[in-house]
Amino acid sequence: MTAARPRVDVVVPAHDEEDRIGACLDALLVACERLAVDRPGTNVAVTVVLDGCTDGTSAVVAGYPVSVVETEHVGVGRARTIGAAHALRAHPGDPSHRWLAHTDADSRVPERWLVQQADALAAGTHVLVGAVVPDPDDLDPVVLARWRRAHPPGAALGHVHGANLGVLAAVYTALGGFDPVPEHEDVRLVERARATGFVVDATIELPVVTSGRFAGRTPGGYAEHLRQQYGDAS
């Protein structure tokens, strides 16, 4: 019997991100091309969940070779769940050979990010928690300097970010997926994985660049974290 080919499905929730999702998808397509070169035989696809978008996000996404799911505005936790469910239904297969890689519409993954995700799958990792860094172009130099002082090279602060998170499909299903909450669905999933005894690895290699804005799409997400921790430029 022929062994099942490994598969990585990327899920991207998007709510009113017309100004940033193009860069997000451009970066993901580069990562897909690198995966095809470095790990031939690994299938990959991208699913974008248009979470109640009222701007031009859908028009931007229409220009990319990705699967699209449209929903009313349900929030990031449910949007991730909808995207994962769509990916698993669209391409049925052995969940022990499938990986769900999550990022955000205001983020840009590095070129080898999908190689990293595929290698986690091959290594038997159950959950991979990755790092993020704010886009320096979004931050005042004073604020950026504060962030860099708090994040010296090599520092691992233990945060969980939905913009850089991977999970084995079988484990995702066993955990019941993301909680239908307005925020911190990523943290809750990882907490349940650890409590259940699954293997949760963390890496600071290949961080994802995410928006450095202070007004985000969830009240307590990364944008609010930046605002509270690093303040304004005064």
Side-chain angles (χ1 to χ4, degrees):
M1 180 179 294
T2 303
R5 295 180 66 175
R7 180 180 182 87
V8 178
D9 279 286
V10 184
V11 177
V12 185
H15 174 65
D16 290 349
E17 294 286 2
E18 64 178 341
D19 293 334
R20 297 179 186 266
I21 197 166
C24 168
L25 296 179
D26 286 341
L28 279 171
L29 292 184
V30 170
C32 288
E33 292 172 358
R34 183 61 183 264
L35 179 67
V37 172
D38 287 9
R39 302 292 183 268
T42 300
N43 293 324
V44 64
V46 177
T47 297
V48 176
V49 181
L50 299 174
D51 180 23
C53 294
T54 60
D55 63 354
T57 301
S58 62
V60 176
V61 173
Y64 288 86
V66 300
S67 295
V68 179
V69 181
E70 293 192 56
T71 180
E72 62 184 19
H73 187 29
V74 295
V76 65
R78 291 183 63 191
R80 289 196 205 280
T81 297
I82 290 168
H86 172 83
L88 294 174
R89 284 195 309 267
H91 303 280
D94 185 348
S96 66
H97 291 84
R98 300 192 61 173
W99 189 260
L100 295 169
H102 296 272
T103 190
D104 287 336
D106 65 338
S107 303
R108 304 190 306 275
V109 304
E111 181 180 355
R112 298 192 71 255
W113 185 70
L114 284 172
V115 175
Q116 181 187 63
Q117 302 291 314
D119 287 351
L121 170 61
T125 299
H126 294 149
V127 180
L128 183 65
V129 177
V132 303
V133 296
D135 188 337
D137 292 340
D138 290 341
L139 297 180
D140 183 277
V142 173
V143 177
L144 180 60
R146 290 176 188 155
W147 185 90
R148 285 175 170 163
R149 284 196 298 270
H151 298 77
L157 300 183
H159 298 304
V160 174
H161 303 282
N164 192 354
L165 180 66
V167 57
L168 182 69
V171 170
Y172 174 83
T173 301
L175 292 171
F178 291 104
D179 290 340
V181 291
E183 59 189 10
H184 305 315
E185 76 293 336
D186 43 8
V187 175
R188 292 164 67 121
L189 183 78
V190 172
E191 287 176 345
R192 289 205 310 279
R194 289 191 170 113
T196 310
F198 288 116
V199 178
V200 178
D201 290 341
T203 179
I204 58 173
E205 297 181 4
L206 304 180
V208 168
V209 176
T210 197
S211 166
R213 63 191 175 194
F214 280 6
R217 297 298 183 261
T218 59
Y222 189 64
E224 180 63 12
H225 165 73
L226 286 176
R227 190 189 67 78
Q228 287 187 357
Q229 293 296 315
Y230 307 107
D232 58 29
S234 60

